[in-house]
Amino acid sequence: MDIGDIVFFEDFSPVGDIVTICFCLAVFILLLISYLKRSRSLVYFCGCVGLLLIAAFSDITFHYLQALTDDSAFLVVTFRTIYHAALYGILVLYVMYAIEIIHINYLGFEKIIKVAAIILMVLLVAFDILGAYFKFSFYVDEGGFAYMGLNIFPIGYLIYVITLMLLLYIFRKNIYRQILFGVFGTVMMSFILLIVQQFYDQASYTVASFIFPTLSLMYLIHSSPFDVSLGAVNIDGFESYVKYHYKKNKDFVLLSMYLHEFDMADKKYPDDMQEVIRDFASHYFKGAVLFMLSNGHMVLCVDKKKNPDYENKTNAILNQFNEEYPKYRFDYKIAIINSVDEISENNNYIDFIKFINNNMKQNTVTFSDDSFVEKFRKHKYILEEVLDIAKKGDLDDERVLVYCQPVYNIKTGKHSEVHGR
């Protein structure tokens, strides 16, 4: 029989599942060759991709068995049950994922949601199994013909999606707004695809619709440099930002804040402080990006063209900071720096900011100007010369001037040694 002549249940086409299988294999290859921070959320992500692969394979298998054989009713029902169980499992992991990144603080509530999600999955899978046995849901008769009774999958899907959306909405203050929009948007795309295929009496792209949320998790949480809690991007993103704006001849301003008490690995910001930082990063400037240069050092980058009133907004954010400061009283150093072509060309803002911070007192705000640039230029020149002298190790280098201080030994009454500087 030619494959084009096969008549599948519900006019099934394997294209969507084949694309999904290729996507999953590509993701696993990327996971193997790249380094990702090991965490519970990464386990959830790998689980989503693995279940997506199982769902796609099971969907293809169950349709081909149903179309090509007459005596495989048990296998058809089994693979269809595995197919639905895998999809329910992905939805459970989405809920787990949401709980992981929104940091629910209510005692016991997190566990209740997780247990409820798993119990619902068990009930939905049990419904499929019992429905096939008692013939009130999908089943295959003795002649090998498939029939669809009550299809409960859309109901289960809606329950999980609504739960996910409610969790993200209720605890939206615990997650960076752009990431929230990304998850919402991709889930909606998935939902729209399911509605469209339902309109055409199709079920071929159900598994493929799960690609969109999984892709958003891969990009926003794992492959992206975003810190989910603060909405901050890492140091590589900062250097890329500077490089892009310099090439496009775009001026920008940097709002740097250094908190030395947090400048150590795994030191976490209090939850209420995270909310304040997210508010500062997203509500004052249009298109601003927050970068983490270290755990205790963050820089908010503001495009001047998008924010012509950046000076007024900078003053507003500083006033708000002064209002919030008494709640926390962590030592800080804040520097406001306008972009300088000389520094942008060499992508040297990290050293420039460190230079400014090293010359600041704690709990002060500094507005950088040309004098800071000139001092930094001299500092950088001296540092480069010292490094070059050290590298060459030549005591006769004309740049080296040695001062010796004789040491007089009072016991012997003679000069016994000298100290060099």
Side-chain angles (χ1 to χ4, degrees), residues 37 103 229 261-262 264-271 273-274 295 330:
K37 182 180 178 182
H103 307 299
S229 299
E261 292 179 59
F262 292 92
M264 59 188 72
D266 299 325
K267 178 74 172 180
K268 292 186 177 180
Y269 293 88
D271 290 343
M273 190 172 174
Q274 290 181 12
N295 198 57
F330 294 116

Side-chain angles (χ1 to χ4, degrees), residues 120-407:
L120 177 61
M121 172 185 169
V122 173
L123 292 175
L124 291 169
V125 172
F127 182 91
D128 271 351
I129 296 172
L130 294 174
Y133 184 80
F134 291 106
K135 297 182 180 180
F136 60 79
S137 181
F138 173 86
Y139 68 95
V140 180
D141 66 12
E142 293 77 5
F145 292 101
Y147 297 90
M148 176 60 76
L150 176 60
N151 183 12
I152 201 173
F153 177 78
I155 299 174
Y157 180 88
L158 278 175
I159 293 173
Y160 280 114
V161 169
I162 291 171
T163 302
L164 178 64
M165 294 295 101
L166 284 175
L167 284 172
L168 292 176
Y169 180 78
I170 293 171
F171 298 97
R172 62 190 181 280
K173 290 185 177 181
N174 294 353
I175 186 171
Y176 188 48
R177 186 169 57 177
Q178 274 79 342
I179 293 179
L180 187 66
F181 289 162
V183 175
F184 266 121
T186 51
V187 170
M188 286 307 300
M189 286 179 63
S190 175
F191 188 64
I192 290 171
L193 179 57
L194 290 177
I195 292 176
V196 170
Q197 77 162 4
Q198 192 70 27
F199 181 77
Y200 287 100
D201 293 325
Q202 268 282 337
S204 303
Y205 299 96
T206 300
V207 181
S209 69
F210 283 71
I211 288 178
F212 302 120
T214 305
L215 187 62
S216 75
L217 295 176
M218 181 176 74
Y219 180 77
L220 294 174
I221 311 298
H222 299 291
S223 296
S224 169
F226 268 119
D227 178 298
V228 179
S229 299
L230 297 177
V233 184
N234 65 18
I235 194 169
D236 293 331
F238 176 71
E239 292 175 345
S240 176
Y241 181 96
V242 172
K243 183 178 181 180
Y244 171 80
H245 279 71
Y246 177 70
K247 282 187 175 182
K248 297 294 184 181
N249 198 29
K250 293 184 175 183
D251 293 329
F252 54 92
V253 61
L254 307 178
L255 284 71
S256 164
M257 181 170 70
Y258 178 66
L259 305 170
H260 73 88
E261 292 179 59
F262 292 92
D263 205 14
M264 59 188 72
D266 299 325
K267 178 74 172 180
K268 292 186 177 180
Y269 293 88
D271 290 343
D272 53 344
M273 190 172 174
Q274 290 181 12
E275 183 177 347
V276 173
I277 293 171
R278 288 194 299 268
D279 184 66
F280 282 165
S282 59
H283 289 168
Y284 282 89
F285 299 99
K286 183 179 179 181
V289 183
L290 182 67
F291 296 94
M292 294 292 289
L293 304 190
S294 68
N295 198 57
H297 191 184
M298 58 193 77
V299 177
L300 186 64
C301 297
V302 179
D303 189 311
K304 288 185 178 180
K305 187 175 181 180
K306 294 179 181 178
N307 299 273
D309 57 343
Y310 70 92
E311 292 181 339
N312 292 333
K313 289 181 178 178
T314 299
N315 290 328
I317 203 172
L318 289 175
N319 291 335
Q320 183 64 32
F321 174 83
N322 290 329
E323 292 180 12
E324 297 288 345
Y325 175 72
K327 300 177 184 177
Y328 309 102
R329 294 198 172 277
F330 294 116
D331 289 337
Y332 67 88
K333 291 182 179 180
I334 294 177
I336 313 299
I337 303 166
N338 288 295
S339 57
V340 180
D341 285 346
E342 176 186 344
I343 300 177
S344 295
E345 182 180 7
N346 299 312
N347 216 328
N348 210 17
Y349 282 101
I350 295 175
D351 289 339
F352 185 46
I353 296 170
K354 287 180 180 178
F355 171 77
I356 294 174
N357 285 344
N358 289 337
N359 289 278
M360 288 177 63
K361 294 181 179 180
Q362 291 286 359
N363 305 319
T364 58
V365 178
T366 295
F367 288 83
S368 174
D369 54 24
D370 292 341
S371 66
F372 281 93
V373 178
E374 180 61 28
K375 291 176 183 177
F376 176 68
R377 188 184 295 119
K378 292 179 180 179
H379 164 80
K380 187 180 176 184
Y381 172 75
I382 293 172
L383 184 60
E384 289 173 351
E385 291 295 301
V386 170
L387 290 174
D388 185 60
I389 291 169
K391 181 180 179 181
K392 292 180 177 178
D394 183 7
L395 292 177
D396 295 324
D397 193 313
E398 62 181 7
R399 295 171 295 180
V400 178
L401 184 60
V402 181
Y403 290 88
C404 296
Q405 177 180 328
V407 177

Side-chain angles (χ1 to χ4, degrees), residues 77-149:
V77 171
T78 299
F79 275 103
R80 186 177 184 276
T81 302
I82 293 172
Y83 155 64
H84 272 178
L87 294 182
Y88 291 137
I90 295 171
L91 292 169
V92 170
L93 288 177
Y94 284 167
V95 173
M96 302 280 197
Y97 228 119
I99 293 171
E100 185 74 16
I101 64 177
I102 60 181
H103 307 299
I104 299 175
N105 296 321
Y106 299 110
L107 185 64
F109 184 68
E110 174 183 343
K111 187 175 292 186
I112 291 172
I113 295 295
K114 288 181 178 180
V115 172
I118 294 172
I119 290 175
L120 177 61
M121 172 185 169
V122 173
L123 292 175
L124 291 169
V125 172
F127 182 91
D128 271 351
I129 296 172
L130 294 174
Y133 184 80
F134 291 106
K135 297 182 180 180
F136 60 79
S137 181
F138 173 86
Y139 68 95
V140 180
D141 66 12
E142 293 77 5
F145 292 101
Y147 297 90
M148 176 60 76

